[in-house]
Amino acid sequence: MILALFEDPGYESLWPLTATAPLYLLKVGPYRLYELWGHALGVNEYALFCRRELEGFIDWLLNRVEGRGVEVNPEQLDDDVVAVNAAYLPLPDAAKVVRELMSVAGNVIAHRGGRPLAIRATRTTASSLAEAMRGVLESELLLSMMEAFEDIPVAGRGEVSSIEGLCSHFEELLAAALESLGRGGVVVEEGARVEEHVVLREPAYVGRGVVVEPYSVIEGSSVEGPSRVGGYLSYTLVSAYSTVYVSRLERTVLAGANVIGPYSSSVGGGARALGFAARLMPSSALLGSSAVGVASLVSGLFEGRLEDGSAYEGGRIRRVTRDEAIGALRHQLSQFGRLPSDYELSFIERALGRSRERAER
C-alpha cells in the first residue's frame, strides 16, 4: 500500500510555516511528519502531493539533497492508497482512524465537517485520486469523485488549523518521534556539539550539525541541524540553518534559515511562528500569538501578524527590499558553508512580490 500526503485549501491557516513547504515536511526530532505517519501505519512507500509551485523544491530537497527516492506529484498511483491530509497529525486518535481505513476493502473518505482528513482508495480508483491531489485538493474535485466513495465522519484529535493548535501537540509528536527512534527521551545526534553546563530535559532532540551554546536549557524542544542555538528553548522547534543567540523561546516554530537575537524572546500565551528567513532582531520580542512572514523582520516588541516581506521597526512597518532580503539570506546560509538554492531565492522573490501587491492595493 502507498501512503500519500496531500494539501487542501486549509494549508493557508498554518501560514507562515506553509508558505514555503507543506506541513508534512516539518521535521520533528529525526523525522519529517510524513515519515512519522509511515512509522505509525507501518508503511514505507510514499507519494507526496503539493502545490505546483513547490513541486520542484520538494523533489530537489528530498531526492537530490537527501536521496530519499520519494515520488512528488506523481501522475498515477499503481497500488492501493491511503491518503492523509497534511493538516492531520500522526497522533494516536488520527493513526487509529487511518489504520481502520486501511483495513477496508473499498473506497472510503474520513472527514470532519466535510473536510477530507484521510482517504482510502483501491488500485482501480487511485489514478483518479492522484489527479485530484496534484496541486491542492479542491472540494469540487473531491465531490466529483464522491459517488465511488463511502464517507464517514470522524472525531478525535489530529486535525490542526492554527499554529497554536500545532504547538499544543508538539511535545506529544516529539515524544512519539523519539520513541520510534528507540534511543531514549533525550537524543543528541553524532556530529552535534553540546557545550558545557547545558541542560537537556526530555523530550529533547539535538540534530546532527547543531551547536548548543554553554549554559543553555533545552526542554521539550527539537533542533534540526545544522543550526546554532543558545539560551532557553521550551517546547520550540528550530528548523535547519537557523541561529538563536542567547534568547528565550517558548512555544515557537522556526521554519528555517531564521535569526533570533541576541537577548530576544518569544514568550507569552498562545504560540508563535517565523516563516522562512524571518528574523527577530537583537533585544526584540514576539508576544502572545504572533506570526512573522517569509523574509520579514521584527525590531522591537511585536504581537500579531506581520506579512511576508515586511519589516516592523519601532512601531512602523515598511517593505523589505530585495537586496536586503537576499543579502540577509546569503549571509545566514554562509554561516553554515552554503549558498541559497534557486528554490530558496524564489521563496524570497515571491514573498517580496506579495509585499508589492499589498502596497499597490
Side-chain angles (χ1 to χ4, degrees):
M1 181 171 286
I2 299 171
L3 172 59
L5 278 290
F6 66 89
E7 296 188 285
D8 72 352
Y11 78 85
E12 294 180 343
S13 68
L14 292 161
W15 177 93
L17 301 181
T18 52
T20 51
L23 190 65
Y24 57 67
L25 281 193
L26 195 67
K27 202 165 189 180
V28 179
Y31 304 117
R32 299 190 186 278
L33 287 177
Y34 81 84
E35 294 176 293
L36 280 180
W37 266 117
H39 289 299
L41 302 176
V43 178
N44 58 15
E45 184 176 358
Y46 303 99
L48 303 180
F49 292 88
C50 62
R51 286 157 273 164
R52 302 284 186 172
E53 66 268 23
L54 298 180
E55 180 178 328
F57 166 69
I58 296 173
D59 183 58
W60 169 78
L61 175 65
L62 296 183
N63 297 324
R64 292 184 59 189
V65 177
E66 299 182 1
R68 294 174 181 265
V70 176
E71 287 195 283
V72 181
N73 277 351
E75 293 188 2
Q76 61 183 25
L77 297 167
D78 298 323
D79 199 351
D80 286 11
V81 174
V82 60
V84 178
N85 194 315
Y88 204 30
L89 300 179
L91 299 173
D93 289 354
K96 179 181 178 181
V97 168
V98 178
R99 280 195 295 269
E100 290 174 353
L101 285 189
M102 292 172 66
S103 67
V104 174
N107 301 309
V108 184
I109 295 177
H111 66 91
R112 177 177 288 143
R115 183 185 192 185
L117 298 179
I119 304 171
R120 163 72 167 93
T122 62
R123 183 171 183 169
T124 55
T125 312
S127 292
S128 297
L129 182 61
E131 182 178 354
M133 291 190 297
R134 283 198 301 277
V136 174
L137 179 60
E138 299 288 351
S139 56
E140 292 80 6
L141 283 173
L142 194 59
L143 285 171
S144 69
M145 302 171 55
M146 287 294 286
E147 289 185 3
F149 286 81
E150 177 186 357
D151 65 286
I152 57 172
V154 297
R157 301 174 309 130
E159 179 189 8
V160 291
S161 56
S162 68
I163 298 299
E164 187 167 355
L166 174 65
C167 287
S168 70
H169 297 305
F170 178 66
E171 181 181 9
E172 188 174 1
L173 287 171
L174 179 56
L178 296 183
E179 181 179 359
S180 182
L181 188 63
R183 289 166 48 194
V186 174
V187 172
V188 178
E189 296 285 14
E190 182 180 355
R193 190 171 86 234
V194 178
E195 303 289 6
E196 295 181 334
H197 309 296
V198 169
V199 176
L200 302 175
R201 296 177 183 145
E202 65 177 78
Y205 178 80
V206 179
R208 181 180 179 87
V210 172
V211 176
V212 183
E213 299 286 2
Y215 300 98
S216 296
V217 176
I218 297 178
E219 62 174 6
S221 297
S222 175
V223 185
E224 179 187 0
S227 290
R228 192 177 192 97
V229 298
Y232 181 83
L233 275 62
S234 178
Y235 304 102
T236 285
L237 188 151
V238 178
S239 296
Y241 304 107
S242 295
T243 305
V244 179
Y245 293 101
V246 197
S247 294
R248 184 182 184 98
L249 304 183
E250 299 174 359
R251 289 170 56 83
T252 302
V253 183
L254 308 186
N258 301 108
V259 182
I260 307 293
Y263 310 117
S264 291
S265 62
S266 176
V267 297
R272 291 148 294 279
L274 284 84
F276 178 76
R279 295 171 286 158
L280 184 60
M281 305 306 283
S283 303
S284 298
L286 296 180
L287 306 171
S289 295
S290 297
V292 180
V294 176
S296 295
L297 69 89
V298 169
S299 180
L301 305 181
F302 181 80
E303 181 174 1
R305 176 180 172 122
L306 185 64
E307 299 290 349
D308 295 335
S310 301
Y312 174 87
E313 296 171 321
R316 296 185 177 183
I317 296 178
R318 64 170 176 84
R319 287 169 50 194
V320 173
T321 68
R322 182 180 185 278
D323 287 348
E324 179 183 8
I326 292 179
L329 178 61
R330 288 184 183 277
H331 180 266
Q332 177 61 14
L333 295 182
S334 74
Q335 309 302 303
F336 302 98
R338 56 161 294 205
L339 295 171
S341 68
D342 289 344
Y343 298 109
E344 291 161 325
L345 292 175
S346 74
F347 294 158
I348 302 296
E349 297 285 6
R350 285 202 293 268
L352 298 180
R354 290 189 289 270
S355 177
R356 285 193 300 270
E357 290 172 4
R358 288 193 305 272
E360 292 169 359
R361 288 175 190 161

